[in-house]
Amino acid sequence: MYEPNVVGDWHEYDEHAGLRVRVHRLEPAEPPRGRDDAAEGLTYFRLRITAENRGSRPCGIHLEDGQIDVRTGPDGEATFVDWRSSQFIEGYDLYPLRRATAVVYAAAPEASLALVDVQIQLRVDDEWTDRRLWTGGIGVVEETVGANAAGCGGQGELAHQVADFLRDQAGPGTTG
């Protein structure tokens, strides 16, 4: 078992030297093309998925609707992903020292947004990478900072809390 990434962390792919990906900027946001009728009563949010090539040769990357799964809440309920408003990376040649970013708009019940999991499976040069998971939440950082009298906390503290929780769930004698 591998430990998931925290939203904002980079994940480097060993099988593709220099390629790394991150899910970041998880925030409430309305879609640019207006709300979809199917998302009535749900709260919209936006996330970004950035691929960066730090290697020495270009690679072709592909990241679209079937390769992204967004789930919320403690039970991992599926979210409504607004494919019409989202922007993907489709058949893009990513040259060294360059980045490409996908922007995904999704909607879920507001009460479940404190825990958001994003799983992606990137296609690189017509090869599928392993699925990877990022976890985070909307409003978590603000609550952590507000609860801390010294004003410390934030994303670093959230990362430690997630890692500690996963280690506790895995049990003794297991490694990440």
Side-chain angles (χ1 to χ4, degrees), residues 89-159:
I89 304 169
E90 300 178 49
Y92 188 77
D93 291 330
L94 189 59
Y95 283 85
L97 303 177
R98 297 287 190 258
R99 292 180 176 177
T101 300
V103 180
V104 178
Y105 286 88
E110 187 172 2
S112 68
L113 294 179
L115 181 58
V116 178
D117 292 331
V118 180
Q119 181 173 276
I120 65 167
Q121 184 175 22
L122 192 64
R123 194 169 82 204
V124 181
D125 294 330
D126 294 322
E127 295 178 19
W128 293 99
T129 62
D130 291 335
R131 289 185 182 98
R132 289 295 170 191
L133 178 71
W134 279 260
T135 188
I138 296 176
V140 173
V141 172
E142 292 86 296
E143 292 171 12
T144 302
V145 172
N148 190 333
C152 298
Q155 198 71 18
E157 186 173 322
L158 174 63

Side-chain angles (χ1 to χ4, degrees), residues 7-116:
V7 169
D9 286 349
W10 286 99
H11 172 76
E12 298 194 23
Y13 291 97
D14 295 332
E15 64 272 21
H16 300 285
L19 181 66
R20 64 186 197 159
V21 174
R22 74 176 172 161
V23 173
H24 60 109
R25 300 225 8 223
L26 179 61
E27 59 195 0
E30 288 296 316
R33 295 188 176 116
R35 296 179 65 86
D36 191 293
D37 293 340
E40 185 176 333
L42 301 176
T43 301
Y44 263 95
F45 62 97
R46 170 180 59 210
L47 59 99
R48 295 178 188 273
I49 304 168
T50 299
E52 180 179 62
N53 185 352
R54 298 176 63 155
S56 59
R57 64 174 193 83
C59 58
I61 61 170
H62 197 84
L63 182 63
E64 62 177 0
D65 54 355
Q67 298 166 252
I68 304 166
D69 189 14
V70 182
R71 299 193 171 261
T72 60
D75 293 329
E77 296 288 330
T79 63
F80 170 78
V81 177
D82 191 337
W83 303 118
R84 182 180 57 125
S85 293
S86 298
Q87 303 163 354
F88 302 102
I89 304 169
E90 300 178 49
Y92 188 77
D93 291 330
L94 189 59
Y95 283 85
L97 303 177
R98 297 287 190 258
R99 292 180 176 177
T101 300
V103 180
V104 178
Y105 286 88
E110 187 172 2
S112 68
L113 294 179
L115 181 58
V116 178

